[in-house]
Amino acid sequence: MFEGKKIGVIGAGNMAEALIRGVLKAGLVESGVITACDLSEDRRNVFAEMGCLVSSNICDIMDSDIVLLALKPQVLPTVLADIGREFTNEQLLISIAAGVTITAIQQAAVSARIVRVMPNTPMLVGEGVSGIAKGRSANSNDIEMALALFGSAGDAYEVEESQIDAVTGLSGSGPAYLFYFAEVLAAAGKEAGLPEELAEKMACKTVTGAAKLLAESSDSAEILRRKVTSPNGTTEAAIKIMQERGLRDVIVAGVLRAKERSEELARGE
């Protein structure tokens, strides 16, 4: 699928690094066909250590078959205004910039084939979740390549672009929800009488252990919860309080607000 393909990376940040590490670990391409462009020497050095070619000049990636646009959303339009017209219909552009629509990218890169992706930070440990949407100019092979690339650093799913904001609210922002839960869980442990350091360690391990169990079990989250919740036991007492105080509604409202904010960003608000 990737034979003879050159990959260019514009913006050599953590997410791009996570993706390329996954790609190389999966053996999809050799490091020598990847060129990473970034103004930061430190970031270029990270990619150089992986065996990739590096440059501070964006022109050096313009002949790539696949170009990963891994820039912050406020920076991407400026960059595309400078170079967008130089891309051809022989090139696939993959954008991970939150809130920047395929239409906005296509207006700047008129001829390119475009795929938009919403990944999340667990890509950094090979456990990412990515929603992948195909632009009108892209084809089925483009989607297959994007699924393979992002699937090398976790799980990747094809979605409609109209669903990208929902993906953002659920999995894109989702890790922060879990980190916040672990933060609060540790604080509760401290309030219950545990030393702060021990409470933090136990909260972290509880969250990661439960997540691993969920990932490896054939049972749904609901079934696993019920298995842990003995009638009239401590867990049931805690769950009842959480339900009575509206935890479910708070989580749903948070996800929906993140989705709405993603939509607002796409409108430039």
Side-chain angles (χ1 to χ4, degrees), residues 14-15 18 119-129 153 171-176 179:
N14 289 332
M15 294 296 278
N120 66 5
T121 54
M123 277 180 56
L124 296 169
V125 292
E127 295 291 345
V129 175
S171 61
S173 299
F179 300 151

Side-chain angles (χ1 to χ4, degrees), residues 36 49 56 62 64 77 90 92 106 116 121 128 145 163 166 184 204 214 243 265:
E49 289 171 1
S56 60
M62 294 305 293
S64 300
E90 297 298 318
L92 170 62
Q106 195 80 72
R116 182 181 172 192
T121 54
M145 287 193 291
Q163 298 172 316
V184 173
C204 176
L214 177 60
Q243 291 173 337
L265 290 171

Side-chain angles (χ1 to χ4, degrees), residues 225-237 240:
R225 173 178 61 82
R226 292 185 182 281
K227 284 183 176 181
V228 178
T229 310
S230 302
N232 298 316
T234 59
T235 306
E236 183 181 68
K240 281 183 176 179

Side-chain angles (χ1 to χ4, degrees), residues 86-201:
E86 298 182 32
F87 291 111
T88 73
N89 60 9
E90 297 298 318
Q91 292 173 294
L92 170 62
L93 302 191
I94 301 177
S95 172
I96 63 171
V100 182
T101 65
I102 291 172
T103 297
I105 299 169
Q106 195 80 72
Q107 287 174 344
V110 177
S111 299
R113 309 190 314 275
I114 298 168
V115 168
R116 182 181 172 192
V117 182
M118 172 48 63
N120 66 5
T121 54
M123 277 180 56
L124 296 169
V125 292
E127 295 291 345
V129 175
S130 300
I132 299 177
K134 180 173 74 71
R136 291 191 304 273
S137 58
N139 56 49
S140 58
N141 188 55
D142 295 332
I143 280 290
E144 288 180 10
M145 287 193 291
L147 287 168
L149 289 170
F150 285 84
S152 70
D155 292 343
Y157 305 94
E158 183 177 1
V159 299
E160 298 295 327
E161 190 183 17
S162 61
Q163 298 172 316
I164 283 286
D165 295 314
V167 171
T168 301
L170 177 60
S171 61
S173 299
Y177 313 153
L178 193 61
F179 300 151
Y180 183 57
F181 179 78
E183 177 186 346
V184 173
L185 191 63
K190 180 182 177 183
E191 189 170 330
L194 293 173
E196 182 175 0
E197 184 177 355
L198 179 59
E200 290 178 354
K201 287 181 179 179

Side-chain angles (χ1 to χ4, degrees), residues 252-268:
V252 172
V255 171
L256 294 179
R257 179 63 188 116
K259 172 182 178 288
E260 291 169 0
R261 183 58 186 146
S262 181
E263 294 169 341
E264 292 168 358
L265 290 171
R267 296 193 296 267

Side-chain angles (χ1 to χ4, degrees), residues 16-44:
E17 177 190 346
L19 175 62
I20 296 305
R21 288 192 184 279
V23 166
L24 295 177
K25 184 177 180 179
L28 298 183
V29 299
E30 297 294 328
S31 59
V33 304
I34 300 171
T35 301
C37 177
D38 201 287
L39 295 178
S40 168
E41 183 179 2
D42 288 342
R43 294 309 304 170
R44 295 198 302 272

Side-chain angles (χ1 to χ4, degrees), residues 61-99:
I61 61 89
M62 294 305 293
D63 65 341
S64 300
D65 302 288
I66 302 170
V67 177
L68 176 68
L69 302 172
L71 296 165
K72 295 184 183 299
Q74 60 268 32
V75 175
L76 181 58
T78 301
V79 171
L80 286 178
D82 291 336
I83 64 171
R85 300 282 172 173
E86 298 182 32
F87 291 111
T88 73
N89 60 9
E90 297 298 318
Q91 292 173 294
L92 170 62
L93 302 191
I94 301 177
S95 172
I96 63 171

